[in-house]
Amino acid sequence: MKTQVAIIGGGPAGLLLGHLLRAAGIDCLIVERQSRTHVEGRIRAGVLETVTTDLLRQLGIDARLDSEGLVEAGFNLATDDQVIRIDIAKLTGRHVTVYGQTELTRDLIDAAPGRGLDIVFEAADVAIHGIDGDAPFVTWTKDGVAQRADCEYVAGCDGFHGPSRRAIGPGAEFERVYPFGWLGILSDVPPCHDELIYANTRDGFALASMRSKTRSRYYIQVPVDTPLADWPEERLWDELERRFAPLATRPVVRGPALEISIAPLRSYVFETMRRGRLFLAGDSAHIVPPTGAKGLNLAASDVAYLAEALIAATTRGDASGIDGYQARALSRIWKAERFSWYLTKLMHRFPEDGSFEHRMQVAEIDYVANSVAMQTAIAENYVGLPL
Ligand SMILES: Cc1cc2nc3c(=O)[nH]c(=O)nc-3n(C[C@H](O)[C@H](O)[C@H](O)COP(=O)(O)OP(=O)(O)OC[C@H]3O[C@@H](n4cnc5c(N)ncnc54)[C@H](O)[C@@H]3O)c2cc1C
């Protein structure tokens, strides 16, 4: 088959890019390794910046976002004995929206057939060819039958473990791996607070988050090699109850886990986001620790830049956008990396840190508590830097 842009990966980056290209009348095809059920069921991000919600609005895929998303005007940074509210609405004039990645993904997949966006699920052995020439193509196997799509450009939106970054070959790579992970639980119980609480407690980081008014998402920091078996649900609820009792407005409500897992934390950037006719976007090019809620939002801003560039190249033969894509995307990526790293450093207990470093954290949090300038800087990064 023939298409203008072949997109590898049907996560948030690939789906959003596909919709943005279709809205401009560009032919494209998404090739996704997993089944639709698997893609829609992945429990991951949940806090959307206005950059992301604006893209959904521009596409007209915002009905459920508007009716079910929770508009958040602030969030909280806490220690064992103080809660600092960062009033993002007052400090920036904007807000964030709590809307699960599962819901956003479902909306984008539901809207695809009506907009002529083809998605091939369960595509095995996806491979990228000919990116250094003028006639790239993508191959895969579906139900045991070999398939091929010839295209003008390939977008690598296949996450951290996908084949696109490998197809680029050696590149400029930067990484920081953290010595802890987040043990997370998702449960259909009302959250203990209306706005997220990021807490640096004496036993480590804890986060009280939510996906809706009836669905809570909690995390605590654990050593990176912790087996999940060490944390039966009741032990985790005990810990959450103890840590959030002095900080939250309501008690932690317990319920059966819809999901419980440990996610390692890393900061990672692969700066070589283009080779010939292949472009990387989203987690295929960068990872942030989830502390700043930036992963999904960065994927969205990458594809906003990439869509603009590909539309100019395919409709007007204007290559300036694709030539400038990497520099433009990286400028925003590094700022989001910095903010996610900063919040991670501020809010976690690092095993290698001594009492001096801990005093530095306490002093910094105290400074934030009493400085509108610091709160504004945190708020404008949290709500998302402009495109
Ligand atoms: C466990 C976990 C928890 C997270 N929690 C948060 C959070 O709380 N807040 C936050 O902001 N971010 C969070 N993130 C990050 C956020 O989910 C990602 O940044 C976001 O999903 C990036 O979207 P993406 O489309 O670039 O990549 P992905 O969502 O990874 O999508 C890539 C797609 O490519 C497909 N693919 C992979 N290999 C192939 C192949 N060979 N062929 C075809 N398709 C392929 C995958 O199946 C997938 O559908 C979390 C991530 C993880 C892993």
Side-chain angles (χ1 to χ4, degrees), residues 39-349:
V39 171
E40 289 182 349
R42 276 192 300 235
I43 313 286
R44 290 183 174 180
V47 178
L48 306 185
E49 296 175 357
T50 39
V51 162
T52 308
T53 50
D54 285 351
L55 283 178
L56 294 169
R57 297 226 153 75
Q58 179 190 324
L59 290 166
I61 306 177
D62 54 357
R64 265 197 338 126
L65 171 74
D66 282 341
S67 61
E68 296 176 26
L70 301 179
V71 170
E72 298 278 300
F75 70 100
N76 304 281
L77 297 176
T79 59
D80 288 297
D81 44 25
Q82 72 169 332
V83 178
I84 307 158
R85 179 164 188 267
I86 308 291
D87 189 335
I88 45 180
K90 193 168 132 202
L91 295 166
T92 69
R94 293 188 290 151
H95 59 265
V96 294
T97 306
V98 166
Y99 192 64
Q101 180 165 335
T102 44
E103 309 314 304
L104 173 136
T105 306
R106 213 179 94 199
D107 293 347
L108 292 169
I109 294 175
D110 279 349
R115 294 160 186 239
L117 174 58
D118 292 327
I119 308 173
V120 181
F121 288 103
E122 298 177 72
D125 310 319
V126 174
I128 303 159
H129 313 266
I131 49 172
D132 293 325
D134 289 339
F137 61 100
V138 173
T139 56
W140 67 94
T141 308
K142 172 79 182 173
D143 299 328
V145 181
Q147 307 278 350
R148 166 175 171 152
D150 292 285
C151 54
E152 294 169 37
Y153 298 100
V154 181
C157 301
D158 44 6
F160 189 66
H161 301 287
S164 296
R165 195 172 63 254
R166 286 197 299 278
I168 295 227
E173 197 173 32
F174 303 84
E175 186 172 38
R176 165 80 155 103
V177 176
Y178 300 92
F180 41 73
W182 280 14
L183 165 64
I185 188 164
L186 181 77
S187 182
D188 271 335
V189 289
C192 66
H193 209 275
D194 293 332
E195 295 177 339
L196 280 80
I197 307 174
Y198 295 81
N200 180 341
T201 74
R202 68 179 61 85
D203 297 311
F205 172 80
L207 170 61
S209 180
M210 72 291 282
R211 291 292 176 266
S212 71
K213 285 187 171 159
T214 55
R215 181 168 286 186
S216 299
R217 181 70 161 153
Y218 290 101
Y219 294 98
I220 61 167
Q221 168 187 348
V222 292
V224 73
D225 51 359
T226 304
L228 196 53
D230 283 5
W231 285 91
E233 283 176 41
E234 285 313 305
R235 180 179 174 206
L236 179 52
W237 285 120
D238 288 346
E239 193 63 24
L240 292 166
E241 217 170 73
R242 193 175 63 73
R243 294 209 206 168
F244 286 109
L247 305 175
T249 45
R250 297 180 291 272
V252 168
V253 180
R254 296 172 184 233
L258 298 173
E259 193 252 8
I260 181 165
S261 60
I262 297 176
L265 264 66
R266 82 168 76 220
S267 299
Y268 175 84
V269 179
F270 188 79
E271 283 197 337
T272 316
M273 292 175 73
R274 174 188 185 180
R275 174 169 164 185
R277 290 183 172 249
L278 169 63
F279 298 85
L280 301 183
D283 276 17
S284 64
H286 43 77
I287 297 289
V288 284
T291 326
K294 290 282 161 262
L296 192 162
N297 294 300
L298 260 191
S301 57
D302 281 1
V303 299
Y305 295 141
L306 185 56
E308 211 178 289
L310 290 173
I311 291 165
T314 49
T315 58
R316 305 193 293 279
D318 171 2
S320 60
I322 54 174
D323 290 341
Y325 166 67
Q326 176 175 308
R328 203 175 168 205
L330 281 173
S331 157
R332 196 169 189 280
I333 290 163
W334 274 118
K335 292 184 190 90
E337 289 280 350
R338 185 205 68 82
F339 179 66
S340 306
W341 164 85
Y342 166 76
L343 262 197
T344 303
K345 294 273 288 175
L346 184 65
M347 302 309 291
H348 290 73
R349 298 291 169 111

